[in-house]
Amino acid sequence: MPKRLGRWRTAGNSFVCETVTIDNRSDGAVEAVARGRLEAVDRGMMLRYRVLPQGEVHVYAELARGGGSPPARVGLRTTMAGSFSRVTWFGPGPDESAWDRDEYPLGRWSGSVDEQYFPYSEPQETGTHVSTRWFTLTDQSGAGLACIADPNGCSVPDQALSFSALPYSVEQMDEAKYEHEIDADGRVHLCIDTAQFGVGGDDSWGAQPHPQYRLRGNQTHSVAFVLMPIRSVDDVVTRRCSIVEVE
């Protein structure tokens, strides 16, 4: 699979912004829209951030359809301070899951960011949680950031969202041959996707995921979610978040 989908490794870093528009809306929100291209895969990309007066940020990203190999995942990623070391989510758990390995019970689960990393014999991506309705990253006081899925804006709504929060970046895990070659940088590395390829491997020799667990290259993909500051995890449950429908 790395060979088949190799050109997507550098897709995110190849984004070239072509236009940016700012709209001060009548409801007090400010909306920023950036459009451009992922030059590594020759695909159009649009990012929209709508900031509401109460501090919520409604995020929508859209990847245009195109030829060639399909994307292995579609989403966004960022980093947070290492002090936000506690992760809580509502979805399958408590262990990591995948699009084609989604048999865990649905519930509210918590753990440290460090606990989301599983030390495979050869470092690789781990700690993914699929079919997530919401998740939070909080510090010792319980305050932090919540992310709430907006399935209406996701191209794979039954998976919205798929996320991971780890002490290592994708590149660190990808480039290391042995675990001792990975050094934590003190940040939380956060990935938020509409979905990513299943793990496949039915024959234990590299079989691709079944078609229903793969993203298609000839269709538009999108991911949508709401970010909101919280004083505690209970804010996500008690406060009703106004999800913006994708236009």
Side-chain angles (χ1 to χ4, degrees), residues 93-162:
D95 297 325
E96 63 181 353
S97 51
W99 197 353
D100 54 0
R101 302 290 192 277
D102 186 7
E103 68 276 7
Y104 291 111
L106 183 69
R108 175 171 162 174
W109 312 95
S110 295
S112 70
V113 168
D114 288 345
E115 289 172 340
Q116 308 312 303
Y117 176 79
F118 185 85
Y120 290 103
S121 57
E122 180 174 337
Q124 57 191 277
E125 279 206 65
T126 181
T128 298
H129 300 289
V130 303
S131 304
T132 303
R133 279 58 167 177
W134 56 262
F135 70 87
T136 65
L137 284 166
T138 53
D139 60 17
Q140 289 185 347
S141 73
L145 181 74
C147 179
I148 303 172
D150 178 7
N152 292 327
C154 292
S155 54
V156 188
D158 64 316
Q159 282 288 292
L161 293 166
S162 170

Side-chain angles (χ1 to χ4, degrees), residues 3-243:
K3 291 182 179 179
R4 291 191 294 266
L5 306 178
R7 68 180 188 142
W8 288 94
R9 289 177 184 268
T10 59
N13 291 332
S14 73
F15 178 72
V16 175
C17 186
E18 297 171 345
T19 64
V20 176
T21 59
I22 306 294
D23 180 22
N24 292 293
R25 298 167 59 91
S26 59
D27 59 2
V30 177
E31 183 174 283
V33 179
R35 301 179 186 274
R37 297 196 67 78
L38 299 175
E39 293 195 332
V41 292
D42 193 27
R43 298 280 187 98
M45 185 82 185
M46 185 270 278
L47 302 169
R48 184 179 70 200
Y49 298 91
R50 185 176 297 169
V51 184
L52 276 59
Q54 65 266 36
E56 294 177 2
V57 181
H58 294 243
V59 182
Y60 176 74
E62 183 178 282
L63 175 69
R65 69 180 67 194
S69 60
R73 68 197 306 169
V74 174
L76 300 171
R77 63 177 185 165
T78 187
T79 63
M80 294 179 62
S83 56
F84 295 98
S85 58
R86 188 75 179 173
V87 59
T88 300
W89 71 97
F90 186 80
D95 297 325
E96 63 181 353
S97 51
W99 197 353
D100 54 0
R101 302 290 192 277
D102 186 7
E103 68 276 7
Y104 291 111
L106 183 69
R108 175 171 162 174
W109 312 95
S110 295
S112 70
V113 168
D114 288 345
E115 289 172 340
Q116 308 312 303
Y117 176 79
F118 185 85
Y120 290 103
S121 57
E122 180 174 337
Q124 57 191 277
E125 279 206 65
T126 181
T128 298
H129 300 289
V130 303
S131 304
T132 303
R133 279 58 167 177
W134 56 262
F135 70 87
T136 65
L137 284 166
T138 53
D139 60 17
Q140 289 185 347
S141 73
L145 181 74
C147 179
I148 303 172
D150 178 7
N152 292 327
C154 292
S155 54
V156 188
D158 64 316
Q159 282 288 292
L161 293 166
S162 170
F163 88 97
S164 65
L166 297 168
Y168 309 115
S169 69
V170 173
E171 289 81 6
Q172 285 177 299
M173 293 183 289
D174 194 41
E175 294 170 2
K177 185 68 175 177
Y178 303 101
E179 188 178 358
H180 72 268
E181 297 175 341
I182 306 179
D183 292 319
D185 60 5
R187 305 286 295 177
V188 176
H189 294 266
L190 178 62
C191 295
I192 308 173
D193 300 298
T194 182
Q196 62 173 303
F197 264 44
V199 297
D202 287 359
D203 59 5
S204 299
W205 294 100
Q208 289 196 55
H210 291 238
Q212 64 267 36
Y213 303 121
R214 299 184 224 162
L215 295 169
R216 298 180 180 179
N218 60 352
Q219 75 176 67
T220 298
H221 287 288
S222 59
V223 62
F225 51 88
V226 175
L227 300 175
M228 55 180 280
I230 58 172
R231 291 167 297 182
S232 72
V233 174
D234 290 337
D235 286 351
V236 183
V237 179
T238 58
R239 179 178 172 188
R240 184 174 182 179
C241 188
S242 176
I243 302 296

